[in-house]
Structures are given as C-alpha cells and as structure tokens.
Amino acid sequence: SQQGEEDPQALSIQEGENATMNCSYKTSINNLQWYRQNSGRGLVHLILIRSNEREKHSGRLRVTLDTSKKSSSLLITASRAADTASYFCATDRGNTGKLIFGQGTTLQVKP
Amino acid sequence: GAVVSQHPSWVICKSGTSVKIECRSLDFQATTMFWYRQFPKQSLMLMATSNEGSKATYEQGVEKDKFLINHASLTLSTLTVTSAHPEDSSFYICTSTKTLNYGYTFGSGTRLTVV
C-alpha cells in the first residue's frame, strides 16, 4: 500500500523558477528519501533526511521534514529544463528496509 | 558508488510464456533485493523482498507462484513472471542498498509487454 500522498501531482514552471513538492506519510519513520525518475527509467536517489533532522541541503535541493505533521517538502531552486522528471518521496517501514513510495509529482520545466 | 544492473531493459512475450528478469549488484553485496512494479503514470508498488539464501517474502496480494524470485548469490536476484498475461504488462524494477538508512540504488527497470 502507498505510504502517503504527494502534491501537487503535476507542476509546470519556467526555467529559473523554484519548484516545491510536498509529501505526507502515515506511519512513524526512520528516514524519508526523495528520488527522481526520468520517463521510462530507473530511480535516482536525491537526498535522505533522517527522522531527527529538520532540514537538509544538497546543491540546488532543499528538503524539510516535519515529523509532527508527518510531512516533507522538496525545493528545487533555479530549475533547469533538465530537471523535468517525476519526483517521489519514499519512507522506510520500520527496520525492514522496505521503501514505500508516495504518488509522485511530475515536474515540467519549460526552457 | 553502488550500481545495480538490470536486464533486459525491455521484453515482449506471448501470453502463457515465462520471462526472467535479472538484477545484479556490480560493486557491493546485495543481501536483500526489493522488487517493485510500476504501471504507467503511477507510483512504485512493492512486490516482494528477496534475501540471499532464503525464500522471498511477498507483499499482500502478490502471487508468489506467479512471480518467482530467486536470490542465489549476494550479487544476483531474479524475478520470473510465469505464465504471463497481458495484465502483467508493466515496468518492473529492482533496488538494493549497501546499508539501511542510506539511499537505495535502483536498476534501470524492465518494460514487460505481454501480447
């Protein structure tokens, strides 16, 4: 079963703008991860934030985590056409190692 | 970094035949491999967890006799779709990690089309 929801489902922006995607989850977590998927391809790990962390940065990516609200956000700054992809959040289920994915956000960055 | 090689990337088969998908960890030992399927424009659904040297565990609703998983070595896990039907057409993808609480490495996926 899916862990939670992501919004928006689809996002279209101009190059140079920022893109924000949100993810909510239902159960307690050890960490939350964000992945990117280009059409018809495998997933690429972007960033992992642990349950005791509130914010994390990696290049143009900024991730926040609010465990009280069971939500996370991914911000991509100064977007590029190459950022066009689907973005998924995923949470682990206890210590099983199983990743449960959100519904995903499809991002289109127009040049 | 960790690499998972998945083959084939796409396959077309006739109804009733079986298809084997392989995932190899190239530079680390994948004690556990997770198998997902993804329908068009949808998210990834966990199908099963394979552990080296033991039986796979399947998620609720996934037929273990239809989706045979073998994890014979620390670097190879296979998923065989048996007696494939058109409704099995999907994108199948595997993943593993060197260590829990770190990012996972995904195979490139297999697009299965059953005609």
Side-chain angles (χ1 to χ4, degrees), chain A residues 2 30-31 33 35 37 40-43 45 48 50 88 93 95 97-99 101-102, chain B residues 34 36 38 42-46 49 59 91 93 100-104 106-108 111:
Chain A
Q2 292 307 109
N30 290 324
N31 63 65
Q33 305 177 34
Y35 288 84
Q37 182 182 35
R41 305 294 296 275
L43 278 72
H45 176 254
L48 179 151
R50 292 183 168 77
F88 294 91
R93 187 183 290 173
N95 285 319
K98 297 179 181 181
L99 280 185
F101 285 84
Chain B
F34 301 93
Y36 290 83
Q38 183 180 33
Q42 293 189 23
S43 187
L44 284 78
M45 295 295 294
L46 180 64
T49 303
E59 296 298 303
F91 189 66
I93 192 165
L100 285 181
N101 283 317
Y102 284 86
Y104 286 62
F106 282 78
S108 52
R111 172 76 57 196

Side-chain angles (χ1 to χ4, degrees), chain A residues 2-6 23 88-91 100-104, chain B residues 43-44:
Chain A
Q2 292 307 109
Q3 172 67 293
E5 300 294 323
E6 286 183 62
C23 165
F88 294 91
C89 67
T91 55
I100 307 301
F101 285 84
Q103 300 294 333
Chain B
S43 187
L44 284 78

Side-chain angles (χ1 to χ4, degrees), chain A residues 5-104:
Chain A
E5 300 294 323
E6 286 183 62
D7 74 271
Q9 289 188 344
L11 181 60
S12 182
I13 59 175
Q14 293 294 135
E15 211 166 24
E17 295 180 340
N18 296 339
T20 300
M21 291 160 257
N22 302 297
C23 165
S24 62
Y25 56 93
K26 297 176 183 174
T27 63
S28 60
I29 61 172
N30 290 324
N31 63 65
L32 185 143
Q33 305 177 34
W34 285 90
Y35 288 84
R36 164 196 169 127
Q37 182 182 35
N38 287 84
S39 182
R41 305 294 296 275
L43 278 72
V44 174
H45 176 254
L46 295 176
I47 197 165
L48 179 151
I49 185 165
R50 292 183 168 77
S51 59
N52 61 353
E53 297 176 311
R54 293 296 168 260
E55 188 170 312
K56 204 162 183 180
H57 297 253
S58 177
R60 293 185 294 114
L61 306 180
R62 176 181 152 232
V63 167
T64 63
L65 178 65
D66 187 335
T67 52
S68 66
K69 295 181 179 178
K70 290 187 167 59
S71 67
S72 174
S73 68
L74 170 67
L75 168 67
I76 303 175
T77 60
S79 63
R80 305 167 183 168
D83 294 329
T84 295
S86 291
Y87 291 83
F88 294 91
C89 67
T91 55
D92 64 336
R93 187 183 290 173
N95 285 319
T96 65
K98 297 179 181 181
L99 280 185
I100 307 301
F101 285 84
Q103 300 294 333

Side-chain angles (χ1 to χ4, degrees), chain B residues 19-57:
Chain B
V19 173
K20 180 185 281 188
I21 301 169
E22 291 189 350
C23 277
R24 293 179 183 273
S25 56
L26 299 186
D27 50 0
F28 69 103
Q29 293 182 332
T31 308
T32 303
M33 191 76 75
F34 301 93
W35 288 91
Y36 290 83
R37 68 189 294 183
Q38 183 180 33
F39 291 108
K41 299 190 185 303
Q42 293 189 23
S43 187
L44 284 78
M45 295 295 294
L46 180 64
M47 297 176 66
T49 303
S50 74
N51 296 290
E52 186 268 336
S54 62
K55 288 184 178 180
T57 57

